[in-house]
Structure formats: C-alpha cells, structure tokens
Amino acid sequence: MSSHDFIDDPKIGHTKLRMPVIFVPVVMFGVLLLGIIATKIYVDAVLYSDHGEEGQE
C-alpha cells in the first residue's frame, strides 16, 4: 500500500467523532491568546511585585 492510496482512501484513523476542520484554527488561536494573557500576567507580577530586591534599600 503506497502513501497515495492512504491519502485518497483512509482505512484507519479519523472516521468517527472527528473534530470539524473549522475548529482547528479556533483552538490554535485560543491557545495562542491564553499563552499571551498568561505571559502578560506573569511578567506584570514579576516586574511590579511589591517585595522586590529594589525596594528593600
């Protein structure tokens, strides 16, 4: 069985309970957005922490 046959007529894999193709970019964008938000929260917490080394002089 060549790879060409597998692409044209798949016998195994996603035949039932397949996620619609439109959800793939939506999920990818959501993960990216959550990563950006989590990074912003972490950076703000580190930069603007009240008990940093700079404030203890």
Side-chain angles (χ1 to χ4, degrees):
M1 183 165 118
S2 66
S3 61
H4 186 265
D5 294 334
F6 179 74
I7 292 173
D8 287 343
D9 188 22
K11 299 294 184 190
I12 60 172
H14 301 284
T15 55
K16 293 182 180 178
L17 298 175
R18 185 171 59 182
M19 183 171 67
V21 177
I22 191 65
F23 285 151
V24 174
V26 172
V27 169
M28 289 173 62
F29 182 74
V31 168
L32 179 67
L33 197 62
L34 284 175
I36 291 172
I37 292 171
T39 303
K40 282 182 175 285
I41 291 172
Y42 176 75
V43 168
D44 286 344
V46 170
L47 289 180
Y48 305 117
S49 62
D50 292 336
H51 53 280
E53 294 178 2
E54 299 86 18
Q56 294 181 356
E57 292 181 11

